Amino acid sequence: MGLARYFVKRILFSIPLILIIITINFILVHIAPGDPLSYIVGTEYVSPEYLQKLRSEYGLDRPLWERYFIYISKVLQLDLGISYRFREPVINIILERLPATLLLMLVSIGWSSAVGILIGVRAAKGYGRASDKLASTLASISVSIPTFWLGIILIIVFGVMLRLTPTQGMLSPNFMGARQLTPEMMIDILWHLILPTLTLGTVYLGTYIRSVRSLLVDELGKEYILFAHAKGLGSSYILWRYAFRAVSPSIIALLGLNLGTMLAGATLTETVFAWPGMGRLIYESAIARDYPVILGIFIFIAISVVLTNLIVDMINAILDPRVRY
Amino acid sequence: MSLKASSNKRVRNLSKSFIKEVEKIIKYLSKDLLTFFSFIFSVMIILMALLPQYISPYDPYKIDPYATFKPPSLEHLFGTDDLGRDILSQVIYGARTSMIIGASAASLSILIGTLLGLLAGFYGGRIDLAISMIIDAKLSIPTFFLILVVIAIFGGSMINMIIVIGITIWPPIARVVRAMAHSIRAMDFVEAAKALGASATWIIFRHILPQTIGVVLSLGILQMGSAIIIEAGLSFLGLGDPTLISWGKMLSIAQTYISRAWWMGFFPGLFLFLTILSFNILGDKLYEYYNPKLREKVVYI
């Protein structure tokens, strides 16, 4: 199969997924108790005339199937409704909060995947021995720690007892309202980032250790590895240049697949540390029952995850011909 | 008469082999310390969930305005909270909430996952294609957010949480059962049973299902862990059942008093962590037990 054909196939698979996500949202809005409009724009503090206008704009006076297509076209135009807490289009609020979440996620994925790969490779190298057992135990502990508990413990230890790091927010008060990003401000943001990224990264470290280890163990059982030994190549050369290279596309694909669960972890982490990202927005909206925002974030996240997986798979297909077949 | 006697004998044999199997599993689980600890801790959590009234030292709901924010002491082992309620008693009752939701949601997901997996694996063709597509689609949609959205709209009563978590987390089970059913279907003894005139239902339920039970149960234990953490997460975000004592909710309250009373968040979270850790380790070990191929691999390094 050529690259182009693989791309077309992969894109064709993503389209129904996006439709399914939009459909789930549509169904939720329509079987939820109360007026569907309250889940799209919120009905409080709105005049009856404006409500009528919205009703016809969203096609709520039309038959169901027509509404369905109106809904799909609205979502595809990135019209995710209006928040009734902020009286602003949901998409604007999401985009405003996106950079903080992306910063937290990218830094966390970066360090935890690097450390996870190192530990995972070490575990596979010592398969069945003490270092392997230790790595497995570490991985089990890491995937079992509740994000929010770890966050609270870190705040207690580093914030309350040792008073080393800031525990809330993304910026110190003296930088609030600053227009430009100065170097001092960037340092301040990184300083605030330490505890949240330690929390989020630790929880996902175990996933990387486990998958790198099991992928490598399978790879190291193949005969070409034995042959490389027979040729007289060194162990670490074989490990990194042969085995690790062979499994790296799977590791990259895994990073993409983890995105969805990682976003869930980010939500809880942001809630603990008052990090002003999308996760914190979900928490605030859930408490205020701001349905348009909650539904909007779900659609936004779900579609982003599908698209990221698509991009990751495409990059993989370019880098690794095996993926295409 | 003789028929009854033989059926009695069969039941006796079955229960004998069941006990033998359980003994073998416990022996396997006792081999290393961490797994043994997980087993003991799980038993303890189950006891806490079943008999909280006999274990907890105080009424978890009892408010005492003279005993607020008491640090851990002999009187209150885990301290008291902002309303003077005993944390240890709340942790014990919280185990009940976690276990009910975990066990029910996992059972629901086992039911759905096994059934769909058996259908897809046994019949193949279009049914398989349709079910596999649903599984793939579900795996690409972020589970926690889907559950969060549904709970935010419909409310976080216990029954809602069980249903929503249960019908969201089944794909991993369906995937494994499908693969097993698919390979068992191709075996000679199934062919022989077919030649003897066995119906599809008979083959599925008498020949395929029993072979998947061990693996499904081990996955079910892992899913109990995920259901418990999902419930705790929802309660932490303020979306859980307000009438229940839940570890997630306790952590959420503790957040407000974090610089004043570390014990309010530390202990419920510790139990949440140890419960999930135990279930994860037990589930992994059981899965390994039922997949001997996973145990010993050849590595050329």
Side-chain angles (χ1 to χ4, degrees), chain A residues 95-105 107 165-178 181-197 269-278 280:
Chain A
L95 291 178
E96 201 178 288
R97 302 284 193 115
L98 191 60
T101 299
L102 280 183
L103 177 70
L104 174 62
M105 292 212 17
V107 172
T165 52
T167 59
Q168 299 286 296
M170 192 174 164
L171 264 181
S172 301
N174 48 328
F175 288 112
M176 298 278 183
L181 200 68
T182 56
E184 291 90 42
M185 226 169 116
M186 271 155 79
I187 291 171
D188 189 54
I189 291 178
L190 288 181
W191 193 231
H192 277 80
L193 184 64
I194 292 176
L195 289 189
T197 190
T269 309
E270 288 179 8
T271 305
V272 175
F273 294 99
W275 189 259
M278 272 199 303
R280 180 81 193 171

Side-chain angles (χ1 to χ4, degrees), chain A residues 105 109-110 112-114 117 208 211 248-262 308-309 312:
Chain A
M105 292 212 17
I109 289 179
S112 66
S113 59
I117 285 171
Y208 299 131
S211 17
S248 51
S250 313
I251 297 174
I252 294 174
L254 190 93
L255 288 177
L257 271 180
N258 265 338
L259 208 70
T261 48
M262 194 137 189
T308 319
N309 279 328
V312 167

Side-chain angles (χ1 to χ4, degrees), chain A residues 31-258:
Chain A
I31 59 171
D35 188 346
L37 209 53
S38 63
Y39 296 95
I40 302 170
V41 292
T43 47
E44 287 166 71
Y45 322 117
V46 175
S47 71
E49 294 80 28
Y50 185 56
L51 214 62
Q52 200 51 48
K53 190 182 153 274
L54 285 173
R55 203 171 287 280
S56 65
E57 193 191 324
Y58 283 90
L60 291 176
D61 43 7
R62 312 254 187 86
L64 202 62
W65 64 271
E66 252 179 80
R67 269 193 244 170
Y68 180 58
F69 288 107
I70 292 173
Y71 190 80
I72 290 177
S73 77
K74 286 258 177 211
V75 171
L76 292 180
Q77 289 165 40
L78 287 180
D79 177 352
L80 301 176
I82 301 163
S83 154
Y84 57 71
R85 206 156 55 96
F86 299 99
R87 297 269 107 222
E88 230 188 292
V90 170
I91 186 73
N92 294 357
I93 301 169
I94 292 177
L95 291 178
E96 201 178 288
R97 302 284 193 115
L98 191 60
T101 299
L102 280 183
L103 177 70
L104 174 62
M105 292 212 17
L106 289 179
V107 172
S108 307
I109 289 179
W111 80 259
S112 66
S113 59
V115 175
I117 285 171
L118 285 178
I119 299 178
V121 169
R122 188 76 191 73
K125 200 177 166 191
Y127 178 72
R129 288 197 288 272
S131 58
D132 183 24
K133 298 231 164 72
L134 191 68
S136 294
T137 309
L138 194 70
S140 292
I141 290 173
S142 151
V143 298
S144 308
I145 293 187
T147 330
F148 37 103
W149 183 59
L150 181 61
I152 287 177
I153 297 291
L154 290 178
I155 290 181
I156 290 173
V157 174
F158 290 100
V160 179
M161 288 163 87
L162 301 173
R163 296 188 183 281
L164 271 176
T165 52
T167 59
Q168 299 286 296
M170 192 174 164
L171 264 181
S172 301
N174 48 328
F175 288 112
M176 298 278 183
R179 285 282 171 85
Q180 261 181 331
L181 200 68
T182 56
E184 291 90 42
M185 226 169 116
M186 271 155 79
I187 291 171
D188 189 54
I189 291 178
L190 288 181
W191 193 231
H192 277 80
L193 184 64
I194 292 176
L195 289 189
T197 190
L198 205 58
T199 306
L200 189 56
T202 305
V203 176
Y204 289 94
L205 184 63
T207 327
Y208 299 131
I209 297 178
R210 277 188 178 177
S211 17
V212 170
R213 176 190 170 274
S214 75
L215 283 168
L216 263 185
V217 165
D218 283 341
E219 198 65 27
L220 289 174
K222 291 185 180 164
E223 280 176 347
Y224 78 95
I225 300 285
L226 187 62
F227 185 69
H229 271 291
K231 274 200 302 192
L233 295 175
S235 279
S236 60
Y237 186 87
I238 296 173
L239 191 66
W240 287 100
R241 295 297 294 270
Y242 280 39
F244 185 73
R245 232 177 118 175
V247 300
S248 51
S250 313
I251 297 174
I252 294 174
L254 190 93
L255 288 177
L257 271 180
N258 265 338

